[in-house]
Amino acid sequence: MELSCGRPAAALPGMEAESPGEDYESLPSGASLSTHMTAGAVAGILEHTVMYPVDSVKTRMQSLQPDPKAQYGSVYGALKKIIHTEGFWRPLRGINVTMLGAGPAHAMYFACYEKMKRTLSDIIHHGGNSHLANGIAGSMATLLHDAVMNPAEVVKQRMQMYNSPYKTVLECIQTVHRTEGLGAFYRSYTTQLTMNVPFQAIHFITYEFMQEQINPRREYNPRSHILSGAIAGAVAAAATTPLDVCKTLLNTQENMALNSVNISGHLSGMANAFRTVYQLGGIPGYFRGVQARVIYQMPSTAIAWSVYEFFKYFLTKHKLEKRAPY
């Protein structure tokens, strides 16, 4: 991620930047949007797919009234049991729809973040790094990201649940649309935004803070990007787990859980979700699956940041090499 705006940074190894604004941390203006979108799309797809089996476990562990055959004590135990009883490929159900959503969602997400952060940093901190600008930019980028990813999340989580009645992603989409309407794909949108806005604000602020501590020159440093990303993901994931539990309930519409509290039809609204989670699990219910969520987010965000930074570095270097005189 671009970590400094409007001030000189170290040039690419082995070459000199054309100007203070033409280096790794200040991308060439003509290529900045395409660079951010390409790097973001690749990073997003890898982030969501590499750790996808753990995400499947997290969805099941957040179930408020799980089937006795789908109760798990740990992430490793859950994966082992799922593979043993349901087949090797079961933890990957729904990964295709996730990939389809993650590419464009993250392309817009990173491009929006970079543009907003640069603009806000110029206003708030006169071009310097601003934690407030980072947090606002991350939150604004989330609006675009979630608009694309929310329908994919609904389908993905329904495919991930134990005894899911859907054989394919297409069948799931058609059935949900026919029985619950188009609004079902955005039933958890406000809850997801309520979760992801603070998640991304915490995430970006923590990442930028860690970069200030361990990579103050803002150079391309894979180890610093991985470490900063992992810590940022863990902190943000733990802090927003209660909202993630509510989002999962709204996405999956667990019949057993809703019937046990005499809810007929479909549950909607964040307030209703919060109330239902408390009725079924009390305060501990809000932290169901926190272990799986943190385990999932740490490598996922580390992968996303390291891949994004690498592609930004690679594409910028290629751009500068093309400009360099022979």
Side-chain angles (χ1 to χ4, degrees), residues 232-251:
V235 172
T240 56
T241 294
L243 290 161
D244 193 48
V245 172
C246 294
K247 183 205 75 174
T248 297
L249 177 61
L250 289 170
N251 279 346

Side-chain angles (χ1 to χ4, degrees), residues 18 27 31 42 45 47 90 92 143 215 227 229 260 307 313:
E18 293 180 357
L27 296 180
V42 175
I45 291 172
E47 173 190 353
R90 188 70 181 191
L92 296 177
L143 295 174
N215 187 19
L227 180 60
S260 68
V307 171
Y313 169 83

Side-chain angles (χ1 to χ4, degrees), residues 26-95:
S26 299
L27 296 180
S29 57
S32 60
L33 181 62
S34 60
T35 297
H36 291 312
M37 294 190 76
T38 303
V42 175
I45 291 172
L46 287 176
E47 173 190 353
H48 283 279
T49 55
V50 172
M51 294 301 294
Y52 190 84
V54 178
D55 184 58
S56 294
V57 170
K58 183 213 72 169
T59 296
R60 292 194 181 195
M61 292 182 81
Q62 288 181 337
S63 175
L64 295 170
Q65 292 222 332
D67 187 286
K69 295 179 182 178
Q71 294 181 350
Y72 314 107
S74 68
V75 175
Y76 175 75
L79 277 174
K80 186 176 179 180
K81 186 175 181 180
I82 292 170
I83 292 171
H84 178 71
T85 60
E86 302 175 51
F88 180 80
W89 299 108
R90 188 70 181 191
L92 296 177
R93 274 174 59 88
I95 193 172

Side-chain angles (χ1 to χ4, degrees), residues 111-121 133 136-138 140-141:
C112 177
Y113 172 73
E114 294 283 3
K115 177 64 176 176
M116 288 291 297
K117 189 179 81 168
R118 178 174 297 182
T119 301
L120 291 172
S121 291
I136 295 173
M140 293 299 293

Side-chain angles (χ1 to χ4, degrees), residues 8-242:
L12 292 169
M15 61 192 303
E16 295 182 0
E18 293 180 357
S19 70
E22 296 280 2
D23 50 33
Y24 162 60
E25 293 300 344
S26 299
L27 296 180
S29 57
S32 60
L33 181 62
S34 60
T35 297
H36 291 312
M37 294 190 76
T38 303
V42 175
I45 291 172
L46 287 176
E47 173 190 353
H48 283 279
T49 55
V50 172
M51 294 301 294
Y52 190 84
V54 178
D55 184 58
S56 294
V57 170
K58 183 213 72 169
T59 296
R60 292 194 181 195
M61 292 182 81
Q62 288 181 337
S63 175
L64 295 170
Q65 292 222 332
D67 187 286
K69 295 179 182 178
Q71 294 181 350
Y72 314 107
S74 68
V75 175
Y76 175 75
L79 277 174
K80 186 176 179 180
K81 186 175 181 180
I82 292 170
I83 292 171
H84 178 71
T85 60
E86 302 175 51
F88 180 80
W89 299 108
R90 188 70 181 191
L92 296 177
R93 274 174 59 88
I95 193 172
N96 47 352
V97 72
T98 300
M99 293 175 66
L100 287 173
H106 279 72
M108 292 188 292
Y109 175 77
F110 279 105
C112 177
Y113 172 73
E114 294 283 3
K115 177 64 176 176
M116 288 291 297
K117 189 179 81 168
R118 178 174 297 182
T119 301
L120 291 172
S121 291
D122 287 340
I123 296 171
I124 297 172
H125 212 254
H126 304 293
N129 185 43
S130 166
H131 292 310
L132 178 60
N134 300 335
I136 295 173
S139 299
M140 293 299 293
T142 301
L143 295 174
L144 286 176
H145 173 275
D146 286 1
V148 176
M149 278 300 293
N150 206 88
E153 281 282 315
V154 172
V155 176
K156 177 200 76 173
Q157 291 198 301
R158 295 196 182 208
M159 296 291 290
Q160 288 174 332
M161 293 297 286
Y162 179 75
N163 272 344
S164 172
Y166 313 107
K167 292 183 174 62
T168 66
V169 166
L170 184 59
E171 180 190 340
C172 180
I173 294 172
Q174 291 174 336
T175 303
V176 172
H177 182 263
R178 184 178 65 253
T179 60
E180 302 177 42
L182 191 62
F185 295 105
Y186 283 94
R187 189 178 285 130
S188 66
Y189 183 57
T190 53
T191 302
Q192 183 143 320
L193 281 178
T194 305
M195 174 186 73
N196 280 346
V197 167
F199 177 94
Q200 297 300 349
I202 295 169
H203 172 202
F204 280 110
I205 289 171
T206 305
Y207 180 85
E208 302 282 4
F209 172 78
M210 289 300 301
Q211 284 291 288
E212 285 184 347
Q213 306 307 309
I214 62 179
N215 187 19
R217 294 183 65 188
R218 306 298 197 275
E219 297 174 328
Y220 174 62
N221 185 327
R223 281 183 291 183
S224 78
H225 302 318
I226 291 171
L227 180 60
S228 299
I231 292 173
V235 172
T240 56
T241 294

